[in-house]
Every structure is written in C-alpha cells, then in structure tokens.
Amino acid sequence: MSTTLSPVAYDGKIEGNVIFTQLDAAINWMRSHSLWPMPMGLACCAIELMAASSSRFDISRFGAEVMRFSPRQADVMIVAGTVTYKMALAVKRIWDQMPEPKWCIAMGACASSGGMYRSYAVLQGIDHLIPVDVYVSGCPPRPEALLDGLMKLQAKIMKEHSVTEQKKELLENL
Amino acid sequence: MTCEDAVKKLREAFPDSIHEETQFRGETTLRIAKSSLRDICLHARDRMGFDYLVDISSVDHFGQEPRYEMVYELYSLRNEFHLRLKTEVSEDDNTAPTVSDIWPTADWHEREVYDLMGIRFIDHPDLRRILMWEGYPYHPLRKDFPLEGKTTDLPGVAFSEPAPLAGGPFVTIPTDGTTQVREPRARHAGEIPSPEKFLAEP
C-alpha cells in the first residue's frame, strides 16, 4: 500500500499527445485534484475554513473550492468545530449520505480530540463516530494549516489503489 | 415610577405571597411563594410595566431542602429598572408553573431549565429538551452529576461517554517537557517527540 504509483509516463517515440499511465494513478490524480468539500462548520474553525476558501488563501488552487452543502455531491467532509453529542448524530447522518469514495479532515483541536471541552456535552473527537484521514492541529488552525492538511490528504489519495481496492467486486465478476 | 414604588405596590397587592425583600447594590430581589408566581408575574407585567423577561435560571442547593430555586429576572423597558423574583422548588414536587404565556421568551428558557436541571413546567406548550438530545436520561447541571459526564447507552439513538478529565478540565503535568508531554490526556501516534526538537517555550 505504501508504494507510490508513478502518475504519468511520456514516450517520446510516439508522435502526438499520448501519455502512458496506470489507471489507479490517473483516477487518484483526478480525485485528489477535485476534492469537493462538505463544510461541516460547527464552531470558530468554520471562520478559518471560510478564510481558506476566500481569495487571500484560495483553496481553489488545490481544486477544493466547490463547497457542497449537499452531502451527495461531496468528496471530503471537513469537520470544523466542536462536535456536541446532539450535533454528532447529524454529522454521522450526513457522513453516511456521502457517496464513496469519501474522506474526512478533522479540523482543529475540538474535532480531533474534544479540545478544551472536557465535558458531558462534547464528543471527544469525531473519530469516535467516523473514520478520519487527516487531523489538523490548532485552535483554530490557520488557513495555511488546513491547506497543508488538504495537501497531505491529496498525497494520501495518490497512494491509494483505487481500482483494486474499491472495485474489488467488479474485478471478481469480470 | 421607581423600583421602590413598584416593590411597595407589589407588596401591597400580594401581602401574603412575598416572603422577603433583599437589596444588594441597587438590585431588588423578592422571595415569593411558588403558588402565586403566575399572579405576581401577570400583575408585574400588566400593572407595573415589566414588559421584558431578561432571563430565567435555576439554582441547585444540593443537600438542602427545598433543593431547587427558580430565578426570574424582570426588566421594565418603560421605567428602566430591574426586579428579581426567586421561588423555591422542592425535590419531591420538582415542578413550577410556566410563565411562557405571560412572556413568550420564557418558552426556551424553561426548556433549558427542564433540560439541564430537570424541573418540569406545568402547562408549558412544548416541554422538550433544548441542548441535549431527546431521550438523554440525565440532567447535567444538577450538583450530583459529574462534570465529565456519564455513560449513556441508547443503542441506535445516541451515546455519550465520560470525558477524560484527569483530575479536572484544565490540567497539565508539571515537567519541563513539551505541551504534548505536559498534557496527561494526549494520545500519541508514535513516540513522544524529544523536548529539544519541539520545545514550546524558549
């Protein structure tokens, strides 16, 4: 799983605009550069998330500017803020509505571990409910930190074996 | 009308129901009987111009009887003065009359008191929990409820676990290590980073 797939190869002997690549690498390349986020803004981290998507930091440089408020159109859920138990049920429900493949970024201390809210009302990290791919530290993290987390997620996606792992059933039936 | 006039008139109108009057730094507090709470509130709103209910809160005097206390903070926008009403709620009875038909804002305030303190409001139009989810078995602001919470087991509905407090909500281990080393609840993915490398303070 840890082998990095070579994304692209160019053969100079062939005329024209032809490149060779592996299917996994091509799929991963496309997926990682058009991550449509589901902005799960629950607290002050959402303000930084908004800043990250605005012109100064401009998350669209990484292909993740299309904030989708419908989970059915989203690829990555950015949990930004304090997850109370009451809200956790809604977060889980929205996560379940997102189509595969999907990823999750826990943005900030609260979403990662409950943060400073050691209390009866707060879920101690969203990873108790949904699988998290990238944790971004900070309270709240600066937009650069979120962009770094997004780039880490892109690097993670590039290492996935999309066809063999996710289309296992299809391959067996061939 | 000043606050003194209002209190004087209120005491004349309800001589038996107002038990005690306290003055503290210009704030007037009346301790009243629960049975005449609605009458006093209606009178205060209609005859004395208390057209604004600022807040409703509740106090848990755990270990004493009566255990609970309701606090109503009234304000007159017309005359610009406050009045605080307090009434006692016993643990066995555990109910109070609603004032949500007198001041509509009381609806959510009373739902919050019901959610967190467990006092039920008679004739409230919509007495549901407001902060915790419906079906949560505890009332967290009671003194006998631990700060870290309790395990809730409602399969398929919701769950909650005690939060890792490690002695208190804000604690650190006194060492000269990093913030990761000082934090007793930190979860480590690998080895703890060496203090030289990630020193938080110079």
Side-chain angles (χ1 to χ4, degrees):
Chain A
M1 286 293 280
S2 61
T3 51
T4 311
L5 300 159
S6 59
V8 74
Y10 176 72
D11 191 346
K13 291 173 186 165
I14 302 173
E15 298 266 330
N17 300 319
V18 175
I19 54 170
F20 292 103
T21 183
Q22 288 172 291
L23 188 56
D24 271 358
I27 289 172
N28 289 343
W29 178 74
M30 287 183 265
R31 278 178 181 167
S32 65
H33 290 88
S34 68
L35 281 168
W36 290 11
M38 167 76 224
M40 183 50 69
L42 302 172
C44 35
C45 280
I47 306 295
E48 297 298 303
L49 178 61
M50 285 178 235
S53 62
S54 302
S55 55
R56 187 182 179 92
F57 298 100
D58 199 9
I59 205 169
S60 67
R61 292 178 292 155
F62 309 96
E65 79 278 23
V66 196
M67 297 283 173
R68 285 289 127 165
F69 296 94
S70 164
R72 297 177 203 285
Q73 299 169 350
D75 300 308
V76 54
M77 178 187 266
I78 301 177
V79 184
T82 318
V83 189
T84 58
Y85 279 113
K86 191 166 185 173
M87 193 63 198
L89 303 175
V91 176
K92 172 82 168 123
R93 192 171 165 188
I94 289 170
W95 171 258
D96 289 341
Q97 287 174 5
M98 283 169 60
E100 293 276 359
K102 54 190 175 185
W103 298 274
C104 177
I105 296 176
M107 179 182 179
C110 292
S112 301
S113 70
M116 65 175 183
Y117 298 105
R118 307 285 177 183
S119 117
Y120 59 87
V122 177
L123 183 67
Q124 301 295 306
I126 191 63
D127 51 3
H128 285 272
L129 272 187
I130 62 179
V132 176
D133 293 284
V134 175
Y135 298 87
V136 181
S137 65
C139 184
R142 283 195 56 86
E144 295 97 319
L146 178 67
L147 295 180
D148 186 56
L150 186 74
M151 288 157 74
K152 289 269 196 300
L153 181 62
Q154 286 179 333
K156 186 176 178 177
I157 291 170
M158 286 304 286
K159 287 179 187 170
E160 283 178 0
H161 293 260
S162 313
V163 179
T164 47
E165 290 288 319
Q166 288 158 12
K167 302 288 178 193
K168 207 173 268 179
E169 208 173 310
L170 178 77
L171 291 173
E172 281 168 7
N173 292 335
L174 281 177
Chain B
M1 189 160 53
T2 63
C3 188
E4 288 78 27
D5 296 339
V7 171
K8 199 179 164 194
K9 281 184 180 173
L10 207 57
R11 295 196 72 147
E12 282 167 6
F14 298 94
D16 300 328
S17 308
I18 298 174
H19 302 319
E20 191 187 340
E21 181 186 336
T22 325
Q23 292 282 344
F24 182 72
R25 291 182 179 165
E27 296 175 1
T28 311
T29 305
L30 295 180
R31 196 168 282 283
I32 61 176
K34 193 175 80 174
S35 53
S36 53
L37 172 74
R38 280 183 55 85
D39 293 338
I40 291 175
C41 285
L42 269 172
H43 190 87
R45 185 194 68 175
D46 294 336
R47 306 274 177 81
M48 318 184 98
F50 284 103
D51 43 9
Y52 178 34
L53 178 69
V54 182
D55 195 14
I56 299 177
S57 57
S58 57
V59 186
D60 183 5
H61 299 287
F62 183 55
Q64 294 175 29
E65 188 56 40
R67 180 172 168 183
Y68 303 112
E69 190 174 56
M70 295 293 306
V71 185
Y72 298 81
E73 188 79 31
L74 313 185
Y75 186 66
S76 171
L77 291 166
R78 205 177 309 157
N79 303 311
E80 298 181 350
F81 54 77
H82 286 265
L83 179 67
R84 190 177 298 127
L85 301 177
K86 285 186 177 180
T87 188
E88 287 159 345
V89 178
S90 70
E91 191 171 3
D92 304 326
D93 180 26
N94 217 8
T95 56
T98 184
V99 294
S100 57
D101 54 333
I102 301 171
W103 294 284
T105 185
D107 188 324
W108 281 19
H109 285 140
E110 288 178 350
R111 279 178 65 185
E112 187 183 353
V113 170
Y114 162 67
D115 186 358
L116 300 178
M117 200 63 95
I119 296 169
R120 301 192 67 87
F121 291 90
I122 298 162
D123 295 334
H124 190 281
D126 182 28
L127 197 63
R128 287 178 293 134
R129 284 179 176 270
I130 195 168
L131 295 170
M132 306 304 280
W133 67 88
E134 202 58 40
Y136 185 68
Y138 308 112
H139 300 288
L141 279 194
R142 287 183 174 176
K143 291 285 184 204
D144 50 357
F145 186 85
L147 181 64
E148 68 265 30
K150 287 179 181 174
T151 305
T152 328
D153 198 16
L154 290 169
V157 184
F159 74 99
S160 72
E161 290 162 4
L165 280 185
F170 303 102
V171 285
T172 50
I173 299 166
T175 69
D176 55 354
T178 65
T179 46
Q180 259 196 312
V181 177
R182 289 200 301 267
E183 168 59 71
R185 296 160 300 219
R187 291 179 293 176
H188 302 289
E191 285 183 18
I192 300 173
S194 60
E196 296 81 38
K197 201 175 171 187
F198 295 104
L199 199 63
E201 290 87 23

mmCIF file of all heavy atoms in Angstrom, chain A residues 62-78:
data_model
loop_
_atom_site.group_PDB
_atom_site.id
_atom_site.type_symbol
_atom_site.label_atom_id
_atom_site.label_comp_id
_atom_site.label_asym_id
_atom_site.label_seq_id
_atom_site.Cartn_x
_atom_site.Cartn_y
_atom_site.Cartn_z
ATOM 1 N N PHE A 62 -6.082 24.265 -5.023
ATOM 2 C CA PHE A 62 -5.906 22.822 -4.851
ATOM 3 C C PHE A 62 -7.143 22.059 -5.283
ATOM 4 O O PHE A 62 -7.316 20.901 -4.960
ATOM 5 C CB PHE A 62 -5.565 22.519 -3.386
ATOM 6 C CG PHE A 62 -4.429 23.360 -2.899
ATOM 7 C CD1 PHE A 62 -4.656 24.536 -2.210
ATOM 8 C CD2 PHE A 62 -3.132 22.990 -3.188
ATOM 9 C CE1 PHE A 62 -3.607 25.319 -1.795
ATOM 10 C CE2 PHE A 62 -2.077 23.780 -2.779
ATOM 11 C CZ PHE A 62 -2.306 24.941 -2.085
ATOM 12 N N GLY A 63 -8.029 22.733 -5.966
ATOM 13 C CA GLY A 63 -9.192 22.059 -6.531
ATOM 14 C C GLY A 63 -10.281 21.738 -5.541
ATOM 15 O O GLY A 63 -11.112 20.881 -5.786
ATOM 16 N N ALA A 64 -10.283 22.415 -4.401
ATOM 17 C CA ALA A 64 -11.269 22.074 -3.367
ATOM 18 C C ALA A 64 -12.149 23.262 -3.039
ATOM 19 O O ALA A 64 -12.557 23.436 -1.903
ATOM 20 C CB ALA A 64 -10.549 21.579 -2.112
ATOM 21 N N GLU A 65 -12.429 24.090 -4.040
ATOM 22 C CA GLU A 65 -13.186 25.292 -3.746
ATOM 23 C C GLU A 65 -14.691 25.067 -3.804
ATOM 24 O O GLU A 65 -15.459 25.921 -3.380
ATOM 25 C CB GLU A 65 -12.798 26.404 -4.718
ATOM 26 C CG GLU A 65 -13.429 26.306 -6.100
ATOM 27 C CD GLU A 65 -12.698 25.354 -7.030
ATOM 28 O OE1 GLU A 65 -12.000 24.463 -6.526
ATOM 29 O OE2 GLU A 65 -12.861 25.504 -8.246
ATOM 30 N N VAL A 66 -15.117 23.921 -4.350
ATOM 31 C CA VAL A 66 -16.540 23.729 -4.571
ATOM 32 C C VAL A 66 -17.169 23.205 -3.278
ATOM 33 O O VAL A 66 -17.330 22.003 -3.091
ATOM 34 C CB VAL A 66 -16.803 22.770 -5.744
ATOM 35 C CG1 VAL A 66 -18.236 22.893 -6.197
ATOM 36 C CG2 VAL A 66 -15.878 23.091 -6.886
ATOM 37 N N MET A 67 -17.496 24.114 -2.376
ATOM 38 C CA MET A 67 -18.157 23.719 -1.129
ATOM 39 C C MET A 67 -19.560 23.222 -1.469
ATOM 40 O O MET A 67 -20.369 23.959 -2.014
ATOM 41 C CB MET A 67 -18.246 24.910 -0.179
ATOM 42 C CG MET A 67 -16.906 25.448 0.261
ATOM 43 S SD MET A 67 -16.140 24.418 1.517
ATOM 44 C CE MET A 67 -14.536 25.193 1.642
ATOM 45 N N ARG A 68 -19.801 21.991 -1.127
ATOM 46 C CA ARG A 68 -21.106 21.398 -1.459
ATOM 47 C C ARG A 68 -21.913 21.262 -0.184
ATOM 48 O O ARG A 68 -21.484 20.602 0.751
ATOM 49 C CB ARG A 68 -20.907 20.025 -2.104
ATOM 50 C CG ARG A 68 -20.428 20.106 -3.500
ATOM 51 C CD ARG A 68 -21.517 20.605 -4.398
ATOM 52 N NE ARG A 68 -21.052 21.744 -5.174
ATOM 53 C CZ ARG A 68 -21.685 22.213 -6.236
ATOM 54 N NH1 ARG A 68 -22.778 21.628 -6.667
ATOM 55 N NH2 ARG A 68 -21.232 23.262 -6.856
ATOM 56 N N PHE A 69 -23.065 21.879 -0.166
ATOM 57 C CA PHE A 69 -23.907 21.782 1.022
ATOM 58 C C PHE A 69 -24.861 20.608 0.926
ATOM 59 O O PHE A 69 -25.691 20.401 1.792
ATOM 60 C CB PHE A 69 -24.638 23.105 1.248
ATOM 61 C CG PHE A 69 -23.667 24.201 1.546
ATOM 62 C CD1 PHE A 69 -23.182 25.020 0.546
ATOM 63 C CD2 PHE A 69 -23.190 24.364 2.832
ATOM 64 C CE1 PHE A 69 -22.253 25.997 0.821
ATOM 65 C CE2 PHE A 69 -22.252 25.343 3.112
ATOM 66 C CZ PHE A 69 -21.793 26.163 2.109
ATOM 67 N N SER A 70 -24.750 19.873 -0.167
ATOM 68 C CA SER A 70 -25.438 18.585 -0.238
ATOM 69 C C SER A 70 -24.395 17.495 -0.076
ATOM 70 O O SER A 70 -23.433 17.449 -0.845
ATOM 71 C CB SER A 70 -26.145 18.437 -1.584
ATOM 72 O OG SER A 70 -26.475 17.083 -1.779
ATOM 73 N N PRO A 71 -24.548 16.613 0.901
ATOM 74 C CA PRO A 71 -23.515 15.569 1.090
ATOM 75 C C PRO A 71 -23.403 14.640 -0.102
ATOM 76 O O PRO A 71 -22.367 14.027 -0.296
ATOM 77 C CB PRO A 71 -24.001 14.836 2.340
ATOM 78 C CG PRO A 71 -25.441 15.166 2.459
ATOM 79 C CD PRO A 71 -25.614 16.534 1.885
ATOM 80 N N ARG A 72 -24.432 14.533 -0.899
ATOM 81 C CA ARG A 72 -24.396 13.604 -2.033
ATOM 82 C C ARG A 72 -23.453 14.060 -3.123
ATOM 83 O O ARG A 72 -23.135 13.307 -4.039
ATOM 84 C CB ARG A 72 -25.806 13.423 -2.597
ATOM 85 C CG ARG A 72 -26.727 12.796 -1.582
ATOM 86 C CD ARG A 72 -28.129 12.664 -2.070
ATOM 87 N NE ARG A 72 -29.056 12.582 -0.956
ATOM 88 C CZ ARG A 72 -29.230 11.539 -0.199
ATOM 89 N NH1 ARG A 72 -28.528 10.452 -0.426
ATOM 90 N NH2 ARG A 72 -30.088 11.549 0.799
ATOM 91 N N GLN A 73 -23.031 15.320 -3.090
ATOM 92 C CA GLN A 73 -22.130 15.825 -4.111
ATOM 93 C C GLN A 73 -20.724 16.048 -3.558
ATOM 94 O O GLN A 73 -19.902 16.612 -4.259
ATOM 95 C CB GLN A 73 -22.678 17.143 -4.665
ATOM 96 C CG GLN A 73 -24.037 16.981 -5.297
ATOM 97 C CD GLN A 73 -24.703 18.305 -5.598
ATOM 98 O OE1 GLN A 73 -24.227 19.346 -5.171
ATOM 99 N NE2 GLN A 73 -25.804 18.257 -6.318
ATOM 100 N N ALA A 74 -20.472 15.621 -2.340
ATOM 101 C CA ALA A 74 -19.207 15.977 -1.695
ATOM 102 C C ALA A 74 -18.280 14.770 -1.623
ATOM 103 O O ALA A 74 -18.715 13.616 -1.616
ATOM 104 C CB ALA A 74 -19.467 16.511 -0.293
ATOM 105 N N ASP A 75 -16.970 15.061 -1.595
ATOM 106 C CA ASP A 75 -15.949 14.015 -1.504
ATOM 107 C C ASP A 75 -15.289 13.976 -0.141
ATOM 108 O O ASP A 75 -14.956 12.922 0.360
ATOM 109 C CB ASP A 75 -14.849 14.261 -2.544
ATOM 110 C CG ASP A 75 -15.399 14.251 -3.942
ATOM 111 O OD1 ASP A 75 -16.082 13.275 -4.283
ATOM 112 O OD2 ASP A 75 -15.148 15.215 -4.682
ATOM 113 N N VAL A 76 -15.057 15.148 0.448
ATOM 114 C CA VAL A 76 -14.329 15.204 1.712
ATOM 115 C C VAL A 76 -15.136 16.034 2.700
ATOM 116 O O VAL A 76 -15.639 17.108 2.362
ATOM 117 C CB VAL A 76 -12.902 15.778 1.522
ATOM 118 C CG1 VAL A 76 -12.919 17.123 0.826
ATOM 119 C CG2 VAL A 76 -12.166 15.882 2.843
ATOM 120 N N MET A 77 -15.315 15.477 3.876
ATOM 121 C CA MET A 77 -16.013 16.226 4.913
ATOM 122 C C MET A 77 -14.974 16.907 5.797
ATOM 123 O O MET A 77 -14.096 16.242 6.356
ATOM 124 C CB MET A 77 -16.889 15.300 5.756
ATOM 125 C CG MET A 77 -17.612 16.033 6.879
ATOM 126 S SD MET A 77 -18.451 14.917 7.974
ATOM 127 C CE MET A 77 -20.062 14.934 7.233
ATOM 128 N N ILE A 78 -15.052 18.226 5.869
ATOM 129 C CA ILE A 78 -14.151 18.971 6.750
ATOM 130 C C ILE A 78 -14.936 19.291 8.014
ATOM 131 O O ILE A 78 -15.812 20.150 8.005
ATOM 132 C CB ILE A 78 -13.632 20.251 6.076
ATOM 133 C CG1 ILE A 78 -12.898 19.895 4.782
ATOM 134 C CG2 ILE A 78 -12.705 21.000 7.019
ATOM 135 C CD1 ILE A 78 -12.399 21.094 4.006
#
